[in-house]
Amino acid sequence: MITYGTIITYGGDGVREGEARPWERHRAAVQEQTAEWLKLRLQYSDHELCVAGDFNENLDGTRGYGVADAKIAIKRGLAEAQMHCATLNDLRSPPFAMSRATVNHICLSQTLRATSRVEAWEGTLDGMHLSDHNGILVDLEIPDVRREAHVSRQRFVAPTHSKQHHRLHSQSPCWYHAMSERELILLV
């Protein structure tokens, strides 16, 4: 599996400094990254793909954060790369019933659609908000093609952005922690 960790810049990037109009840099980042997803799909057609991170767009179809044209471009880019967003759920509805929509997403190859399960949390610890982002987790089983009877369990996490995670993001767009030989926690 190829995992692409991302932070698509927020709508106000460069606006206060007078360097960009609202959402201008975000739209450009969406175009750049969706082209990269397609390139990965074409170059590594025999691999599963995972794109995970802060998209700065809620994609659940409800009113929330983002702009319509960028949401459409993200969904079109995923479809062209033969992927789907596993985190399209409106987290404000049951069973999640959270106070806000999510802008963090985990997107997977179409072939993984039936095996993914989504979990989410508000990003709180002892009642305190650690971030303005929800945490998202997708638990999936990937058949091991070398041993058809064996199934690999992998867990991908797009966590909340605490100050500690933000510091790590500034050093690298993606980091991970191997829980075991077959389980991976991806933090983006």
Side-chain angles (χ1 to χ4, degrees), residues 61-124:
T62 66
R63 184 176 170 183
Y65 189 71
V67 289
D69 61 313
K71 292 177 188 193
I72 291 168
I74 289 169
K75 290 178 181 180
R76 184 176 49 241
L78 289 169
E80 289 172 0
Q82 299 169 12
M83 299 180 71
H84 71 99
C85 183
T87 53
L88 288 178
N89 308 58
D90 179 2
L91 299 184
R92 293 165 290 188
S93 298
F96 302 105
M98 294 190 175
S99 64
R100 58 188 171 209
T102 191
V103 296
N104 292 352
H105 296 287
I106 300 172
C107 305
L108 304 165
S109 294
Q110 289 287 358
T111 56
L112 299 175
R113 177 180 300 274
T115 60
S116 61
R117 177 177 52 96
V118 177
E119 293 180 25
W121 63 98
E122 288 256 10
T124 58

Side-chain angles (χ1 to χ4, degrees), residues 17-57:
E17 298 85 358
E19 298 171 356
R21 293 184 312 262
W23 297 100
E24 179 180 358
R25 290 185 176 173
H26 176 83
R27 288 178 171 110
V30 167
Q31 284 184 334
E32 179 182 313
Q33 291 192 29
T34 55
E36 290 172 357
W37 306 341
L38 181 57
K39 183 177 177 181
L40 284 170
R41 167 53 56 219
L42 295 172
Q43 188 173 355
Y44 301 99
S45 60
D46 59 337
H47 287 72
E48 302 292 351
L49 293 179
C50 172
V51 175
D54 181 354
F55 284 50
N56 273 303
E57 294 275 356

